[in-house]
Amino acid sequence: MSETLIRGADTILTMDDDRRELAGADLLLRDGMVAELGHGLVTDGTVIEARGCVVTPGLVNTHHHFYQSLTRAVPGGQDALLFGWLRRLYPIWARFGPEEIHVSALTALAELALSGCTLTSDHQYIHPNGARLDDSIAAAQAIGLRFQATRGAMSIGESKGGLPPDALVEDEAAILDDCIRVIDAFHDPMPDAMVRVAVAPCSPFSVSRELMRDAALLARDKGVMLHTHLAENAEDVAYSLETYGCRPGQYAEDLGWTGPDVWHAHCVKLDGREIDLFAASRTGVAHCPCSNCRLGSGIAPVRAFRDAGVRVGLGVDGSASNDMGNLMGEARQAMLLQRVVHGGDGMSAREALEIATRGGADVLGRPECGRLEPGARADVAIWDTRGIEAAGSWDPAALVLAGPTRVRDLLVEGRRVVADGVLQGVDLGEIIAEQGRLVRRLMA
Ligand SMILES: [Zn+2]
């Protein structure tokens, strides 16, 4: 039996069903789970003092492209819309291989962990030069985050009227075969799973209808989730209308891409009928506010999603369209954007944090994560509110208003991934140096 006691937190934001907030409280973790919350708890195991800290469930990232951390702030892609931005970056990504995928994933995961993330998804839709999903799964295991890997793919290259160059697309039968391979090798359906795998064709504009349909059939057969990009901006909707003769929501529904086992990234341009469809079918949304701002895609109707009962989580999106990967910063951006549209009460700090924790966990089909209650997984973020960012705050638990945006400690399945602000088990300096070496090679 292994126990860790997080003792004397100024506030524990439980994000349980009653959204309880406990003052001066303790949190006892046992064998990878939350055992007890209360006052005066004791243990023979490890004790982490949390006076001066706010304790929250670990944050959950529902959409990312780790590999893009090697192409942040690329000149020529800094000021483009989605399709132009993709055309600038595709030829660079086509030169990647296993080493680029692995090192960029370590970088993205380290950045997420330091910003409080315990559970993340990644949408890896390029596999050039021998790169495999295995390369990013190995990185997640090295950093120690809980991982929802997704086997993405593109199959319609330029020569067939698609957007990506032919070098980045794969044969559809081979894509489905490799989906089966990685599900069989890595997917763990158990509640304590550290790795799960989902099936994730890149987007309606880079794969065929047939692949979308077959991917949904395969995922249902294997009992895994489905993920893609949908209705990201006006160009994306126009492509759907022109190519398929229907809006993105209709396209998704026709091909089996709605349901509690499906989550779509962005959904900036969903209309009222599509929002009702997502609510009724319990389809999830990965809201990526910084990326949507960065690419000028628009403001996703998150207030309408939430009011209609659509499940919403947060995503930092790929590091080439953010270009940061700070999940706490993303929660703040989500809150601010809804206020731009709806006024000062458009989204509270607590609601933004709820979307960033239990909201994301539910979207990823992990309701045992994203809340601190007995029986939940022991995924915990500890925020030191005695630093400069929160100095003067009357309500330090309103974390997305005043800081900090970096954790002091992070535990996943009860294991310490960050301690006193330092990543455990990996050398951050070495990861940054490797990343620098690969970027210089790409720029040469
Ligand atoms: Zn994306």
Side-chain angles (χ1 to χ4, degrees):
M1 188 175 78
S2 82
E3 279 192 349
T4 300
L5 177 64
I6 298 169
R7 186 161 66 191
D10 284 5
T11 309
I12 299 179
L13 289 173
T14 66
M15 293 297 164
D16 66 8
D17 289 347
D18 299 323
R19 310 295 189 271
R20 286 184 305 149
E21 299 188 6
L22 310 177
D26 308 329
L27 173 63
L28 182 63
L29 312 175
R30 183 183 301 133
D31 296 335
M33 284 192 288
V34 175
E36 203 177 342
L37 296 100
H39 297 88
L41 304 182
V42 292
T43 183
D44 293 330
T46 307
V47 175
I48 300 175
E49 296 292 347
R51 199 160 45 84
C53 297
V54 173
V55 172
T56 69
L59 309 189
V60 178
N61 182 41
T62 60
H63 186 66
H64 207 322
H65 311 288
F66 292 165
Y67 74 88
Q68 292 180 7
S69 69
L70 277 167
T71 49
R72 301 192 212 235
V74 170
Q78 291 182 11
D79 307 311
L81 291 178
L82 175 64
F83 284 13
W85 171 86
L86 283 169
R87 284 196 185 93
R88 169 72 179 103
L89 292 166
Y90 281 144
I92 304 172
W93 298 338
R95 294 162 55 202
F96 283 23
E99 187 181 24
E100 281 79 5
I101 296 293
H102 183 69
V103 173
S104 58
L106 287 172
T107 304
L109 285 152
E111 192 178 13
L112 284 171
L114 291 168
S115 74
C117 176
T118 51
L119 164 61
T120 183
S121 178
D122 184 55
H123 191 182
Q124 185 180 327
Y125 58 84
I126 62 163
H127 303 85
N129 306 307
R132 301 193 300 171
L133 195 64
D134 315 40
D135 305 319
S136 54
I137 290 174
Q141 290 169 334
I143 300 289
L145 295 197
R146 208 180 288 282
F147 191 31
Q148 179 96 336
T150 78
R151 205 305 182 181
M154 300 191 288
S155 64
I156 302 183
E158 268 172 335
S159 64
K160 291 182 182 160
L163 204 64
D166 290 351
L168 278 178
V169 305
E170 300 172 80
D171 170 73
E172 297 199 342
I175 290 167
L176 292 168
D177 282 347
D178 197 53
C179 286
I180 293 168
R181 179 187 71 81
V182 291
I183 292 166
D184 290 347
F186 297 108
H187 180 74
D188 178 356
M190 301 304 286
D192 63 349
M194 289 298 290
V195 178
R196 286 193 183 166
V197 176
V199 177
C202 182
S203 63
F205 58 81
S206 57
V207 303
S208 71
R209 280 182 72 94
E210 291 67 35
L211 184 64
M212 291 294 284
R213 185 197 59 211
D214 292 348
L217 293 171
L218 171 65
R220 302 265 155 61
D221 184 48
K222 288 285 191 183
V224 302
M225 294 188 73
L226 283 165
H227 181 51
T228 194
H229 295 94
L230 202 76
E232 181 165 351
N233 71 356
E235 290 171 296
D236 195 356
V237 175
Y239 183 92
S240 182
L241 288 167
E242 193 177 305
T243 312
Y244 304 119
C246 64
R247 289 188 50 86
Q250 180 78 53
Y251 183 74
E253 188 180 29
D254 288 351
L255 297 173
W257 277 77
T258 52
D261 54 351
V262 183
W263 84 107
H264 293 284
H266 302 300
C267 301
V268 173
K269 296 294 181 185
L270 291 191
D271 67 13
R273 278 180 56 187
E274 290 168 317
I275 292 171
D276 290 344
L277 167 68
F278 273 44
S281 58
R282 309 202 65 238
T283 308
V285 170
H287 173 45
C288 307
C290 287
S291 173
N292 298 155
C293 290
R294 158 77 158 81
L295 293 172
S297 299
I299 301 175
V302 175
R303 184 72 274 145
F305 289 155
R306 297 266 301 171
D307 292 347
V310 175
R311 301 183 310 158
V312 182
L314 274 188
V316 298
D317 201 5
S319 312
S321 67
N322 186 315
D323 298 291
M324 296 184 184
N326 185 305
L327 195 48
M328 186 54 99
E330 205 69 38
R332 176 178 167 87
Q333 187 75 8
M335 176 192 73
L336 295 177
L337 273 187
Q338 292 310 304
R339 292 175 179 219
V340 169
V341 178
H342 299 288
D345 59 355
M347 181 180 288
S348 71
R350 257 69 171 186
E351 185 178 12
L353 201 58
E354 177 182 321
I355 293 170
T357 53
R358 63 180 285 150
D362 291 353
V363 163
L364 295 184
R366 302 298 306 256
E368 64 280 5
C369 301
R371 58 270 278 162
L372 298 175
E373 60 192 10
R377 303 319 302 175
D379 295 359
V380 186
I382 303 176
W383 309 86
D384 190 339
T385 52
R386 292 169 298 186
I388 187 67
E389 302 98 324
S393 172
W394 288 37
D395 179 13
L399 278 168
V400 305
L401 285 173
T405 59
R406 276 199 172 200
V407 279
R408 191 194 76 180
D409 297 272
L410 190 77
L411 296 96
V412 180
E413 193 69 6
R415 294 184 287 266
R416 235 160 158 187
V417 170
V418 179
D420 292 326
V422 178
L423 272 172
Q424 304 295 292
V426 291
D427 183 335
L428 186 62
E430 209 169 278
I431 293 170
I432 294 168
E434 279 294 285
Q435 181 88 340
R437 183 177 63 79
L438 293 178
V439 167
R440 283 191 295 279
R441 193 160 82 188
L442 289 164
M443 289 169 85

